[in-house]
Structures are given as structure tokens and as C-alpha cells.
Amino acid sequence: MIQRVSGTGGDDTSTTMYDVGVSVGAGGYNYQEDTMLVQYFLHWVAMMHVVKGDAGPGWAPLVLDVDGLVGPKTLTAIWAYQAFRHLTLDGRVDPTESTILSLNCDFFDAFPGIDSNAPHTWPVQPPLLMNALVRVALQTNPAAAVGAGDTGAS
């Protein structure tokens, strides 16, 4: 299950990141919501690096379907991302480990205007993933519901 992780960034600013609840990828549990989060981050991060022209080898064809299923494209994307970022090459995204933390940083750097507390404002995402992200955001920030179908009015 997707979860939020809060902490302090290197510049002493508060950060909110989205984490997987269980491992995704080679030898992982590959729960659908967690897999969709990883696929979503990998898709948008790869797209931004392809557009910028600094994508790692093998990234250009990696337009992932955010379907929650771990297949060859998802595994290849995890390996390619880990190699690009010089992370441990294990083909797996583990909770609170370097790959998911790096994906969060790259995603929010690619979209500096979006609010990490309001996932309904992020780039296009499948309804199942959006619902999971909004649910998680609401657990710690009820104001995130405004604009996500709940106006807060009774």
C-alpha cells in the first residue's frame, strides 16, 4: 500500500514523498498500487529526461503503461533508472530505499509547480492510482481533499 514519508531535505526544507509499502520489481511482492506508483514515477521521469536529452541508455522506448503489472518493460525501466542514477542495481524498488527516494526527487524536480500534498493536481494518472494517492494524502492532510471531489462543505 502506498504511504507518505515526510522528512527534511538537504536544504532544510520540509519534504513529502510517496513510498511503496512493499517491494516492486525483481523478487518483489508487486502489489498493484505500489507497482502503479513506481510505473508512474518511472514513466514521467523517463519522459522528462528524454525531452531534456539526458536520458540514460535504453530510456527512449520506455513509455510505460501504468497498469500495476510488473512485466519486462517495468523491470527494464527499473534497471535503467538505477543504472542512470548509479543506485544499487537489483531491479527492485524497496520501501524507504534509494530508488524510490530518488524517483520522488526526480519527479518533483521535473514538475516544480505541483503540490506533493495534492496528487489530484499531478500529470495524468489512472483513476486507481489517483484514488490511492488522494487517500494517502488525506490521512495526513485533510485539506488535500479540496478540489479532489470533496469541497469540505457539509
Side-chain angles (χ1 to χ4, degrees):
M1 176 184 283
I2 298 170
Q3 53 193 341
R4 281 171 42 131
V5 180
S6 296
T8 304
D11 58 356
D12 291 329
T13 57
S14 176
T15 55
T16 299
M17 296 190 183
Y18 289 80
D19 197 3
V20 292
V22 297
S23 299
V24 172
Y29 289 99
N30 301 320
Y31 289 175
Q32 186 177 27
E33 283 182 4
D34 294 322
T35 300
M36 290 178 85
L37 177 67
V38 170
Q39 290 171 327
Y40 181 77
F41 281 164
L42 285 168
H43 171 80
W44 285 107
V45 168
M47 293 298 287
M48 294 309 294
H49 284 287
V50 167
V51 167
K52 287 172 32 180
D54 67 351
W59 274 33
L62 292 178
V63 178
L64 290 175
D65 292 327
V66 181
D67 58 9
L69 303 173
V70 174
K73 278 183 147 181
T74 299
L75 292 172
T76 299
I78 293 170
W79 285 97
Y81 181 78
Q82 289 174 332
F84 177 70
R85 283 290 176 221
H86 307 287
L87 303 170
T88 301
L89 294 173
D90 59 8
R92 195 174 61 241
V93 179
D94 294 313
T96 67
E97 294 293 337
S98 58
T99 303
I100 192 66
L101 300 177
S102 182
L103 279 168
N104 270 272
C105 290
D106 278 348
F107 177 77
F108 290 112
D109 284 350
F111 298 99
I114 65 171
D115 182 354
S116 65
N117 293 311
H120 60 280
T121 65
W122 298 5
V124 177
Q125 53 192 293
L128 179 65
L129 178 60
M130 185 175 79
N131 291 340
L133 291 169
V134 168
R135 182 188 70 240
V136 171
L138 291 174
Q139 291 172 355
T140 54
N141 182 12
V146 177
D150 179 359
T151 61
S154 31

